[in-house]
Amino acid sequence: VAFAPDGHILATASVDQTVLLWDLTYPTRPRRLGDPLTGHTDAVIGVVFAPDGHTLATGSDDQTVLLWDLTDPTRPGRAGWVIR
Amino acid sequence: VAFAPDGHILATASVDQTVLLWDLTYPTRPRRLGDPLTGHTDAVIGVVFAPDGHTLATGSDDQTVLLWDLTDPTRPGRAGWVIR
Amino acid sequence: VAFAPDGHILATASVDQTVLLWDLTYPTRPRRLGDPLTGHTDAVIGVVFAPDGHTLATGSDDQTVLLWDLTDPTRPGRAGWVIR
Amino acid sequence: VAFAPDGHILATASVDQTVLLWDLTYPTRPRRLGDPLTGHTDAVIGVVFAPDGHTLATGSDDQTVLLWDLTDPTRPGRAGWVIR
């Protein structure tokens, strides 16, 4: 679980190897942002926002870290990836 | 264990599936704030404050993330929840 | 492992239930600060600095969170404690 | 997984006891920075940047915390180490 630096987006790692983004503008009614972030092939063990809030890194037991472009959080896109 | 951004509130995850809030204005005498945050049905595995300090997210093995409104920390209230 | 907000003090949780403080003014020669922080009766699972850098919280499997007063980091003192 | 405070460097702990640094200036094409950080003799369990971004601490099950000088991130160097 990680908040974006602006506090309005929450990223949650799911047990099904996906990561979900949530709009918390109205915390009583969180709203899903975009499609689930898919690509990991094993459990997601960490989600970390870059300080500028536009990049999310997700680490997994599949030995990769995926990077996500959240410039438009309603349309998150895969940026790059690295081996861990 | 997480400090609120203002450093005066500490949130601790308990083994009994609750989360407790503590007033640290006087660190030598921490004082419980409000009632225990109840709702999770399995172990709490993470507590994270939003950057503004008014929202707390608690993740649990029950596959949910609960959001708490701490605008008045002496009366914490459940805001929303998301599936993880 | 946690850095104090000013970046000059590192707190490390040890396997022997103690927490150590290190002066990193000269990172090539870390120097122990004060005596080991003792009091936990089981493994230490988290160390977190308060944003002001003067208070450290240490969580343990002994079901307590101890608070430490680091106003004078060369003489760390136990502040308070809470049940988790 | 940890971002440097400036958001342009990512540190990832690898399963092979090393830590890798990545230049994220172009997140779609992460580029390895310098050689792998070697020295730990057991699994790396945490990577933390100091607030100034110039020092990285890596904790390991080998019971040490290694400190790394990232003043020139293309040539990371071992600074010091402490027992945990």
Side-chain angles (χ1 to χ4, degrees):
Chain A
V1 183
F3 282 98
D6 72 0
H8 291 153
I9 300 180
L10 186 77
T12 60
S14 176
V15 288
D16 67 358
Q17 307 171 4
T18 65
V19 172
L20 302 179
L21 299 176
W22 303 87
D23 178 354
L24 294 188
T25 305
Y26 305 99
T28 54
R29 289 173 289 145
R31 194 167 54 86
R32 274 271 306 285
L33 276 169
D35 293 320
L37 307 185
T38 60
H40 282 301
T41 58
D42 204 338
V44 177
I45 55 176
V47 290
V48 186
F49 279 92
D52 69 4
H54 297 318
T55 304
L56 180 74
T58 57
S60 165
D61 279 335
D62 66 13
Q63 311 309 334
T64 66
V65 174
L66 299 183
L67 298 167
W68 306 89
D69 178 1
L70 305 186
T71 308
D72 176 355
T74 65
R75 300 184 55 176
R78 174 103 69 94
W81 63 277
V82 305
I83 297 175
R84 55 180 282 272
Chain B
V1 183
F3 282 98
D6 73 359
H8 291 153
I9 300 179
L10 185 78
T12 61
S14 177
V15 288
D16 66 358
Q17 307 172 4
T18 65
V19 172
L20 302 178
L21 299 175
W22 303 88
D23 178 355
L24 294 189
T25 304
Y26 306 99
T28 52
R29 289 173 289 145
R31 192 167 55 85
R32 274 271 306 285
L33 276 168
D35 292 320
L37 307 185
T38 60
H40 282 301
T41 58
D42 203 337
V44 177
I45 56 176
V47 291
V48 187
F49 279 92
D52 69 4
H54 296 319
T55 304
L56 180 74
T58 57
S60 165
D61 278 335
D62 66 14
Q63 311 309 334
T64 66
V65 174
L66 299 182
L67 299 167
W68 306 89
D69 178 1
L70 305 186
T71 308
D72 176 355
T74 65
R75 300 184 54 178
R78 173 103 68 95
W81 62 277
V82 304
I83 296 175
R84 54 181 285 271
Chain C
V1 182
F3 282 98
D6 72 359
H8 291 153
I9 300 179
L10 186 78
T12 60
S14 176
V15 287
D16 66 358
Q17 307 172 4
T18 65
V19 172
L20 302 179
L21 299 176
W22 303 87
D23 178 355
L24 295 189
T25 304
Y26 305 99
T28 52
R29 287 173 291 145
R31 192 168 55 86
R32 274 272 306 285
L33 276 169
D35 291 320
L37 307 185
T38 60
H40 282 301
T41 59
D42 203 337
V44 177
I45 55 176
V47 291
V48 186
F49 279 92
D52 69 2
H54 296 318
T55 304
L56 179 74
T58 57
S60 166
D61 278 335
D62 66 14
Q63 310 309 332
T64 67
V65 173
L66 299 182
L67 298 166
W68 306 90
D69 177 1
L70 306 186
T71 307
D72 175 355
T74 63
R75 299 186 52 178
R78 173 102 69 96
W81 63 278
V82 304
I83 296 175
R84 53 180 286 270
Chain D
V1 182
F3 281 97
D6 72 0
H8 291 154
I9 300 179
L10 186 78
T12 61
S14 177
V15 287
D16 66 357
Q17 306 172 4
T18 65
V19 172
L20 302 179
L21 299 176
W22 303 87
D23 178 354
L24 295 189
T25 304
Y26 305 99
T28 53
R29 288 173 290 144
R31 193 167 55 86
R32 274 272 306 285
L33 277 169
D35 292 320
L37 307 184
T38 61
H40 282 300
T41 58
D42 204 338
V44 177
I45 55 176
V47 290
V48 186
F49 279 92
D52 69 3
H54 296 318
T55 304
L56 180 74
T58 57
S60 165
D61 279 335
D62 67 13
Q63 310 310 333
T64 66
V65 174
L66 299 183
L67 299 166
W68 306 89
D69 177 1
L70 306 186
T71 307
D72 175 356
T74 64
R75 300 184 54 177
R78 174 101 70 94
W81 63 277
V82 305
I83 295 176
R84 54 180 284 271

